[in-house]
Amino acid sequence: TDLRYTGVKCTLQGIVPPGLTENELWRAKYIYDSAFHPDTGEKMILIGRMSAQVPMNMTITGCMMTFYRTTPAVLFWQWINQSFNAVVNYTNRSGDAPLTVNELGTAYVSATTGAVATALGLNALTKHVSPLIGRFVPFAAVAAANCINIPLMRQRELKVGIPVTDESGNRLGESANAAKQAITQVVVSRILMAAPGMAIPPFIMNTLEKKAFLKVSPTSISASTLSDFKLLVFATPLCCALFPQKSSMSVTSLEAELQAKIRETYPELRRVYFNKGL
């Protein structure tokens, strides 16, 4: 354990002490990269890290899939889900521009309110459909809410831009166009991440709950949660890998002012790179 933490220190300082193997050094780098923000260098909130996605999402999703019949239940679990998503979106944002308390509070309230309102609206539209279709309401709500929550929690990036660099990491400026691409990629990957755990279990649970032994609510929750766990274990890393975290775009896709600035200093540069967030 001490050697592993020594490895983390080495990752930061670029020093390899005697006795530290290459595997231990890589392991230390993985630990550091998973716990510290790539732009700010700050230690990330525990439940906001990608490593918390499976245990947190399987619990919340299991409850959302079970308690979907009444408005108070939908309201509560959508609020819990969107509050968790807001923490994840803030923790995995791109850029190093600090957020004030007012900006963070406004982003949280607007993101959760908009997402929950969307979920309730979709739930109201499915009052007279079959139970099976009703079970897909949480997924539709989550997909729509992701399109609201992520941009609102990361709205500062859209306003002031995110850092763009050359391939060597030299900072070239800030781009709102890069932020738009980054946020779009994150929205797509999050929706696809939720799809297996929320689109497949409805078929399973709709069949199982007709059986006498699954008519008891706690058992239903356990079955739904276990199903979500198995799917999220595979979906989370796969969907995080859909787009590279160090994403890139053509210089010609940047704002005209930033393009001109880059051409003055790096006339041969064709692509810029940025952290898209997760």
XYZ file of all heavy atoms in Angstrom, residues 164-212:
357
model
N -8.259 24.769 -24.899
C -7.831 23.918 -26.013
C -6.313 24.000 -26.101
O -5.713 25.048 -25.832
C -8.482 24.338 -27.349
C -9.981 24.106 -27.308
C -8.195 25.797 -27.694
N -5.699 22.884 -26.476
C -4.239 22.800 -26.516
C -3.780 22.164 -27.823
O -4.594 21.613 -28.582
C -3.701 21.951 -25.339
O -4.081 20.573 -25.552
C -4.260 22.424 -24.004
N -2.470 22.218 -28.051
C -1.928 21.438 -29.159
C -1.653 20.024 -28.644
O -1.944 19.713 -27.492
C -0.668 22.091 -29.732
C 0.470 22.206 -28.713
O 0.409 21.536 -27.649
O 1.423 22.969 -28.968
N -1.104 19.169 -29.488
C -0.893 17.771 -29.105
C 0.058 17.615 -27.931
O -0.001 16.649 -27.179
C -0.375 16.978 -30.312
C -0.502 15.470 -30.148
C -0.215 14.729 -31.441
O 0.216 15.369 -32.427
O -0.427 13.499 -31.465
N 0.925 18.597 -27.738
C 1.905 18.540 -26.635
C 1.364 19.113 -25.338
O 2.051 19.110 -24.316
C 3.178 19.303 -27.039
O 3.742 18.731 -28.203
N 0.146 19.646 -25.370
C -0.460 20.182 -24.160
C -0.265 21.666 -23.968
O -0.625 22.210 -22.913
N 0.279 22.352 -24.954
C 0.454 23.804 -24.853
C -0.896 24.497 -25.021
O -1.575 24.302 -26.027
C 1.431 24.304 -25.927
C 2.813 23.703 -25.769
O 3.388 23.729 -24.688
N 3.335 23.138 -26.850
N -1.277 25.302 -24.034
C -2.583 25.946 -24.044
C -2.648 27.037 -25.117
O -1.775 27.899 -25.200
C -2.878 26.528 -22.663
C -4.303 27.014 -22.470
C -4.611 27.123 -21.003
N -5.942 27.628 -20.732
C -6.555 27.493 -19.550
N -5.950 26.850 -18.568
N -7.759 27.992 -19.356
N -3.718 26.995 -25.905
C -3.868 27.927 -27.023
C -4.954 28.963 -26.795
O -4.987 29.991 -27.475
C -4.183 27.148 -28.307
C -3.202 26.037 -28.690
C -3.757 25.211 -29.829
C -1.847 26.633 -29.053
N -5.867 28.689 -25.871
C -6.978 29.598 -25.613
C -8.191 28.832 -25.135
O -8.094 27.653 -24.775
N -9.341 29.503 -25.106
C -10.592 28.876 -24.674
C -11.598 28.915 -25.823
O -11.678 29.913 -26.537
C -11.184 29.602 -23.455
C -10.417 29.397 -22.159
C -9.105 30.159 -22.118
O -9.074 31.307 -22.642
O -8.110 29.605 -21.617
N -12.360 27.836 -25.960
C -13.311 27.747 -27.062
C -14.672 27.247 -26.602
O -14.772 26.181 -25.982
C -12.765 26.807 -28.142
O -13.759 26.514 -29.106
N -15.708 28.024 -26.916
C -17.078 27.596 -26.625
C -17.521 26.527 -27.624
O -18.333 25.659 -27.295
C -18.024 28.796 -26.695
N -16.975 26.553 -28.843
C -17.298 25.524 -29.828
C -16.803 24.160 -29.374
O -17.472 23.139 -29.568
C -16.683 25.872 -31.195
C -17.390 27.038 -31.872
O -18.406 27.520 -31.372
N -16.866 27.494 -32.993
N -15.627 24.146 -28.766
C -15.101 22.891 -28.220
C -15.987 22.409 -27.074
O -16.235 21.198 -26.924
C -13.668 23.097 -27.730
N -16.495 23.348 -26.270
C -17.398 22.986 -25.171
C -18.679 22.356 -25.699
O -19.193 21.382 -25.133
C -17.712 24.221 -24.332
N -19.208 22.895 -26.794
C -20.430 22.333 -27.389
C -20.202 20.900 -27.842
O -21.037 20.016 -27.606
C -20.874 23.186 -28.575
C -21.376 24.572 -28.204
C -21.663 25.411 -29.449
C -22.028 26.849 -29.079
N -22.229 27.694 -30.283
N -19.064 20.651 -28.493
C -18.761 19.288 -28.940
C -18.574 18.364 -27.745
O -19.071 17.228 -27.742
C -17.497 19.275 -29.802
C -17.098 17.862 -30.258
C -15.921 17.865 -31.203
O -15.922 18.555 -32.223
N -14.884 17.093 -30.879
N -17.876 18.853 -26.719
C -17.614 18.042 -25.530
C -18.918 17.654 -24.840
O -19.138 16.480 -24.499
C -16.715 18.808 -24.561
N -19.792 18.624 -24.637
C -21.055 18.372 -23.932
C -21.962 17.459 -24.746
O -22.619 16.562 -24.197
C -21.747 19.705 -23.588
C -20.942 20.430 -22.510
C -23.178 19.487 -23.132
C -21.405 21.840 -22.210
N -21.985 17.634 -26.066
C -22.789 16.760 -26.925
C -22.326 15.315 -26.814
O -23.144 14.386 -26.697
C -22.704 17.213 -28.397
O -23.206 18.543 -28.506
C -23.508 16.296 -29.304
N -21.023 15.102 -26.822
C -20.485 13.745 -26.715
C -20.815 13.125 -25.364
O -21.143 11.933 -25.278
C -18.973 13.769 -26.940
C -18.565 14.082 -28.364
C -17.067 14.168 -28.546
O -16.304 14.300 -27.583
N -16.606 14.096 -29.794
N -20.753 13.930 -24.317
C -21.065 13.417 -22.982
C -22.544 13.051 -22.879
O -22.898 12.008 -22.311
C -20.684 14.452 -21.896
C -21.227 14.027 -20.533
C -19.170 14.602 -21.815
N -23.421 13.877 -23.439
C -24.860 13.582 -23.417
C -25.148 12.265 -24.118
O -25.875 11.402 -23.598
C -25.662 14.730 -24.084
C -27.110 14.299 -24.302
C -25.623 15.987 -23.217
N -24.564 12.063 -25.292
C -24.775 10.819 -26.045
C -24.292 9.614 -25.255
O -24.997 8.598 -25.138
C -24.054 10.885 -27.409
C -24.087 9.525 -28.104
C -24.690 11.942 -28.305
N -23.097 9.704 -24.692
C -22.550 8.561 -23.952
C -23.347 8.267 -22.690
O -23.545 7.103 -22.332
C -21.079 8.802 -23.594
O -20.936 9.903 -22.721
N -23.873 9.312 -22.015
C -24.671 9.089 -20.801
C -26.002 8.417 -21.124
O -26.482 7.560 -20.373
C -24.920 10.402 -20.082
C -23.692 11.036 -19.480
C -23.222 10.327 -18.215
N -22.185 11.123 -17.607
C -22.406 12.165 -16.819
N -23.652 12.514 -16.534
N -21.409 12.855 -16.313
N -26.641 8.827 -22.226
C -27.913 8.205 -22.611
C -27.697 6.734 -22.946
O -28.453 5.864 -22.520
C -28.541 8.952 -23.802
C -29.009 10.351 -23.360
C -29.728 8.162 -24.366
C -29.514 11.218 -24.494
N -26.644 6.457 -23.718
C -26.344 5.068 -24.071
C -25.925 4.259 -22.847
O -26.194 3.063 -22.760
C -25.241 5.035 -25.136
C -25.633 5.606 -26.506
C -24.438 5.584 -27.449
C -26.793 4.823 -27.096
N -25.294 4.931 -21.882
C -24.901 4.263 -20.649
C -26.126 3.799 -19.869
O -26.137 2.725 -19.252
C -24.063 5.222 -19.785
C -23.353 4.579 -18.611
S -22.486 5.826 -17.598
C -21.288 6.472 -18.768
N -27.178 4.614 -19.887
C -28.397 4.283 -19.147
C -29.275 3.287 -19.888
O -30.099 2.603 -19.272
C -29.189 5.561 -18.863
N -29.106 3.203 -21.215
C -30.013 2.396 -22.037
C -30.103 0.927 -21.635
O -31.207 0.402 -21.424
C -29.632 2.525 -23.513
N -28.980 0.192 -21.500
C -29.107 -1.233 -21.162
C -29.804 -1.465 -19.825
O -30.643 -2.363 -19.704
C -27.650 -1.709 -21.107
C -26.899 -0.731 -21.942
C -27.573 0.581 -21.718
N -29.465 -0.663 -18.828
C -30.032 -0.855 -17.494
C -31.478 -0.434 -17.359
O -32.157 -0.823 -16.412
N -31.985 0.388 -18.309
C -33.357 0.872 -18.192
C -34.254 0.414 -19.335
O -35.477 0.493 -19.232
C -33.362 2.396 -18.121
C -32.577 2.951 -16.944
S -32.874 4.702 -16.639
C -34.452 4.640 -15.800
N -33.670 -0.066 -20.428
C -34.471 -0.490 -21.566
C -34.696 -1.998 -21.600
O -35.674 -2.475 -22.163
C -33.805 -0.045 -22.868
N -33.785 -2.761 -20.976
C -33.918 -4.226 -20.971
C -34.713 -4.738 -19.770
O -35.621 -5.568 -19.926
C -32.527 -4.887 -21.036
C -31.842 -4.512 -22.357
C -32.636 -6.411 -20.907
C -30.419 -5.011 -22.480
N -34.427 -4.271 -18.530
C -35.160 -4.768 -17.367
C -36.683 -4.669 -17.428
O -37.358 -5.524 -16.844
C -34.603 -3.919 -16.214
C -33.225 -3.598 -16.640
C -33.323 -3.377 -18.124
N -37.288 -3.649 -18.099
C -38.746 -3.627 -18.142
C -39.370 -4.905 -18.680
O -40.390 -5.370 -18.167
C -39.038 -2.437 -19.073
C -37.910 -1.515 -18.843
C -36.717 -2.406 -18.657
N -38.763 -5.500 -19.692
C -39.280 -6.755 -20.235
C -39.166 -7.871 -19.197
O -40.082 -8.669 -19.002
C -38.508 -7.152 -21.501
C -38.735 -6.231 -22.655
C -37.751 -5.332 -23.048
C -39.931 -6.256 -23.363
C -37.957 -4.488 -24.123
C -40.143 -5.410 -24.445
C -39.159 -4.521 -24.817
N -38.010 -7.899 -18.509
C -37.763 -8.937 -17.505
C -38.707 -8.776 -16.324
O -39.373 -9.721 -15.895
C -36.290 -8.878 -17.018
C -35.347 -9.088 -18.203
C -36.043 -9.912 -15.926
C -33.884 -8.855 -17.881
N -38.787 -7.526 -15.796
C -39.587 -7.296 -14.602
C -41.074 -7.443 -14.878
O -41.836 -7.900 -14.025
C -39.298 -5.899 -14.033
C -37.870 -5.731 -13.518
S -37.382 -6.997 -12.330
C -38.589 -6.732 -11.047
N -41.506 -7.072 -16.074
C -42.923 -7.199 -16.404
C -43.356 -8.657 -16.382
O -44.485 -8.981 -16.013
C -43.199 -6.593 -17.786
C -44.673 -6.329 -18.022
O -45.290 -5.573 -17.282
N -45.250 -6.964 -19.033
N -42.460 -9.558 -16.754
C -42.749 -10.995 -16.735
C -42.635 -11.563 -15.326
O -43.523 -12.274 -14.850
C -41.774 -11.749 -17.666
O -41.923 -11.240 -18.992
C -42.068 -13.242 -17.659
N -41.543 -11.205 -14.633
C -41.295 -11.773 -13.311
C -42.321 -11.342 -12.272
O -42.672 -12.117 -11.386
C -39.881 -11.379 -12.827
C -38.706 -12.003 -13.590
C -37.395 -11.522 -13.008
C -38.766 -13.533 -13.541
N -42.798 -10.082 -12.390
C -43.731 -9.593 -11.372
C -45.111 -10.242 -11.462
O -45.939 -10.075 -10.584
C -43.860 -8.073 -11.459
C -42.652 -7.361 -10.883
C -42.905 -5.887 -10.656
O -43.934 -5.373 -11.127
O -42.073 -5.251 -9.988
N -45.347 -10.997 -12.527
C -46.594 -11.757 -12.624
C -46.528 -13.021 -11.772
O -47.541 -13.649 -11.479
C -46.872 -12.127 -14.080
C -47.148 -10.919 -14.967
C -47.319 -11.334 -16.414
C -47.540 -10.116 -17.309
N -47.641 -10.490 -18.741
N -45.302 -13.383 -11.386
C -45.116 -14.560 -10.534
C -45.407 -14.183 -9.086
O -45.067 -13.091 -8.635
C -43.675 -15.077 -10.645
C -43.198 -15.288 -12.090
C -43.990 -16.361 -12.796
C -43.462 -16.581 -14.210
N -44.261 -17.581 -14.947
N -45.971 -15.107 -8.366
C -46.393 -14.835 -6.987
C -45.226 -14.431 -6.087
O -45.340 -13.545 -5.253
C -47.101 -16.064 -6.417
